[in-house]
Amino acid sequence: MRTWHKVSKLAAVVTVAGSLALTGTSAAVAGESSAQKRIGQCGTGVFLDGIRALAVSENSRDEVYITSNGTKIWPAGASYVSMAVNQRVEVDKCVPSNAQIRLMEYDDWPDSNDTIGGFTVQGERTIDYEFCCGDNGRYRIGAIA
Ligand SMILES: [Ca+2]
Ligand SMILES: [Ca+2]
C-alpha cells in the first residue's frame, strides 16, 4: 500500500516536471500573476491571510469566529472553527481597510460568546495584528494590502 502510494506520488511529480519543461516560461509567469492576484484582490481593502492561536482561552481548544464591523465573516458555512495552541488556519477574507475586526469565542448555553480581542484595520498595510487577551486567549492574524 505504502509503496503504491510512493510510486503514484512519484508519477505525479514526473508529470508536473514534464509539463513545466514543456511550458517553461508561461509556468513562471502564471506563478507570478497568482501571487499578484492574491495581493491585489481586495481592492482598497486588505486580505486576512491566516490566523494562529498563540494561547487559547479554554482548556484545550477554542471555538472561534471572526466578525467585521459586527457581521460574522468567517468561517463560512459553520458557526466556528475549533483551534488548539499553535494551530494556524486559513481565513482568506477581504475586509475594508478601516474595518473593526473582532475574534469571538463560541460558547454553548448558558454562557454567551466571549470576545478574545479586536482591532481596527490600519489602512492598506501588510502587517500582523493580534487579538488579545480575553479569557487569556491570544491570536495573531496577517493582513495583506
Ligand atoms: Ca469561552
Ligand atoms: Ca467555547
Side-chain angles (χ1 to χ4, degrees):
M1 196 59 152
R2 203 169 264 178
T3 311
W4 177 86
H5 195 77
K6 253 184 192 166
V7 168
S8 78
K9 222 175 181 180
L10 198 68
V13 168
V14 169
T15 308
V16 169
S19 72
L20 275 182
L22 282 174
T23 57
T25 322
S26 63
V29 170
E32 190 180 74
S33 70
S34 75
Q36 278 169 352
K37 186 176 151 202
R38 190 181 184 207
I39 287 168
Q41 74 178 342
C42 296
T44 58
V46 298
F47 180 82
L48 296 181
D49 187 14
I51 183 168
R52 184 179 293 280
L54 305 175
V56 293
S57 72
E58 297 194 332
N59 283 337
S60 58
R61 306 182 74 90
D62 282 343
E63 296 78 41
V64 296
Y65 63 95
I66 293 173
T67 65
S68 170
N69 293 330
T71 301
K72 176 172 166 283
I73 57 164
W74 177 86
S79 297
Y80 54 77
V81 171
S82 175
M83 290 188 71
V85 168
N86 288 327
Q87 194 180 351
R88 183 183 186 278
V89 180
E90 295 298 331
V91 174
D92 294 352
K93 290 286 173 192
C94 291
V95 295
S97 58
N98 61 353
Q100 306 254 13
I101 308 298
R102 194 173 280 266
L103 184 69
M104 302 294 295
E105 205 281 317
Y106 179 94
D107 281 331
D108 281 325
W109 183 90
D111 293 335
S112 56
N113 299 345
D114 304 310
T115 300
I116 303 280
F119 58 85
T120 302
V121 176
Q122 304 295 308
E124 292 180 63
R125 298 169 64 198
T126 297
I127 66 175
D128 286 345
Y129 294 95
E130 275 194 10
F131 298 108
C132 190
C133 300
D135 292 338
N136 295 318
R138 195 157 71 92
Y139 288 73
R140 185 174 61 213
I141 189 166
I144 300 174

